[in-house]
Amino acid sequence: MPKVKETEILIVGGGPAGLSAASAAANLGASVLVLERDGKPGGQLIKQTHKFFGSKKQYAGDRGYQIGDLLIEQCGNNPNVEVWTDTTALGIYEDGVVTAEGQAKHLKINPKKIIVATGASEKMIAFPNNDLPGIYGAGAVQTLMNVHGIVPGKRVLMIGAGNIGLIVSYQLMQAGVEIAAIIEAAPTIGGYLVHASKIQRAGVPILTSHTITEAYGDESVAGAIICKLDESWQPVSGSEQDLKVDVICLAVGLSPLTELCFQADCQMKYVSELSGHVPVRNEYLETTRPGLYVAGDVSGVEEASSAMVEGRLAGISAACSLGYGEDIAPKLQAEALAELSELRAGPAGQKTLRGIMNLMDKGGAVC
Amino acid sequence: MGKIKDRLTPIGEFVPQPDDDMIICRCEEITKGEIRQAIHDGMFTLTEIRRFLRAGMGLCQGQTCTRLVKGMIARELGISPLEVEPAAARAPMRPIKMIVLGNEGKES
């Protein structure tokens, strides 16, 4: 009989949300197991070389990878936390058993509570020849450069002027790579202006209301045709431009990675402000499947700062429901909720708040 | 889209488009034209497209193409993407080596 691993709290995903959840729950006394697909935990933080905004409590001023190291250290110092790296969750079953592949084995884990912190995946757009070598997601480019020290090419077309598109463009420039242009289908730049102006000052054009119509090249990308879009998002004929580039980088948004929530039969709802189908959950991040919590991008795409606070909130709530730290949990939960409100007070946070309101609203397309 | 009536409502002829040879599912190399044709052949849900063409059944398990296929179903049927039922999520969600499953139960 294969052994089933018992644990109090299972956390799927060792990114900013998962690691924060792990140390918060462990600090209250719960024993925690974290599953991390990669060889090193930290999630997207390990490749983020930019400094964070926000307040001191959310590590403002520190660079992403430094925050990642800090979270790893916090978990490493806590004997209640066990982290299984190179371990990929594969499914969740009716009896609450979660399966995973790791250590060349099909692992089975039977937790009392589950926190899903699987993050998000990059969106793809369709255009002719989008399968040519040289076309990357922005996350892949960031991994190549900041984790492996490899530049993806010489001249890049960046698609998407949200924060990821802007930050990755700037990091490419720092690595000596030329950015031919950043194009954005929306009429306005989605990311923070502080990032956009740094890039524009260096002479890189950010073309709003522009899209890619095709990539071309024989063996790999040799260039791209871009064009202008009118108010109804239709291509303006005659506005085509030919850009000679060897890399096309897609930063067109993220989708919450919710397969586990769907499998667990959580009630799901499509909320565009949260970037896709997300599980319906209460204030303390528990879904409609009792004992299953969510935190971070899987509960709605946002930033690492809020993912860390959500992780902490879910960790405290899960531990408290097992009887740990019942005296101080309410105070810690209130603190985390206050921090989330503070983080979402800015203009970017308004969208998230609208999304959460839609999510909590009983009406709408629930499935 | 669950009702029989919906299935019987004509959705019009399949009209070839210039970019039909564009690859939508990179893992299984399924083109836009193949997916559009399948919709006109009566595959109205993501699950049906998956079973019929294997789009979304490859290495990435639909992380890349599901949203695009959903948009195409909606466009061909003239409905909102929200009306297209989400694809069923099943274990294993990620590829697993056969040897791992094969060795299961052998360890003491």
Side-chain angles (χ1 to χ4, degrees), chain A residues 189-225:
Chain A
I189 293 170
Y192 293 138
L193 282 177
V194 52
H195 294 314
S197 43
K198 267 202 300 202
I199 293 160
Q200 285 171 316
R201 275 202 301 272
V204 173
I206 302 181
L207 307 172
T208 52
S209 296
H210 274 74
T211 192
I212 181 168
T213 56
E214 66 174 289
Y216 62 86
D218 296 327
E219 300 276 293
S220 62
V221 173
I225 308 292

Side-chain angles (χ1 to χ4, degrees), chain A residues 3 88-91 93 101 104-106 108 121 123-124 126-128 130-131 255 257 259-260 262-263 270 277 367, chain B residues 19 22-24 26 61 63-64 67-68 70 82 86 89-97 100-101 104-105 107-108:
Chain A
K3 282 183 224 120
T88 306
L90 296 172
Y93 292 81
E101 184 188 7
K105 288 197 181 92
H106 193 212
K108 290 160 202 79
S121 64
K123 284 182 184 166
M124 179 71 189
F127 53 88
N130 69 1
D131 57 322
S255 302
L257 261 177
E259 293 132 302
L260 270 181
F262 271 109
Q263 270 185 41
Y270 183 87
H277 274 96
C367 52
Chain B
D19 57 358
M22 176 163 77
I23 287 180
I24 297 294
R26 292 192 291 186
Q61 287 288 294
Q63 280 186 64
T64 312
R67 232 184 90 260
L68 300 174
K70 188 187 251 191
L82 289 181
R90 285 192 189 84
M93 309 183 299
R94 296 288 175 272
I96 177 171
K97 292 191 186 102
V100 173
L101 292 175
E104 216 180 349
E107 66 258 34
S108 51

Side-chain angles (χ1 to χ4, degrees), chain A residues 107-121:
Chain A
L107 307 165
K108 290 160 202 79
I109 303 137
N110 186 24
K112 294 195 169 77
K113 306 283 168 184
I114 300 171
I115 300 172
V116 176
T118 42
S121 64

Side-chain angles (χ1 to χ4, degrees), chain A residues 58 281-285 295-296 299 302-314 333-346 349 352-353 356:
Chain A
Q58 287 97 41
R281 78 291 199 295
N282 66 18
E283 203 182 4
Y284 302 109
L285 303 173
S299 71
E302 232 181 322
E303 293 187 357
S305 317
S306 43
M308 288 186 278
V309 185
E310 280 197 345
R312 189 176 358 127
L313 178 59
Q333 284 172 323
E335 275 172 17
L337 285 169
E339 277 176 57
L340 282 174
S341 309
E342 202 181 306
L343 278 172
R344 290 164 180 159
T352 306
L353 289 177
I356 293 172

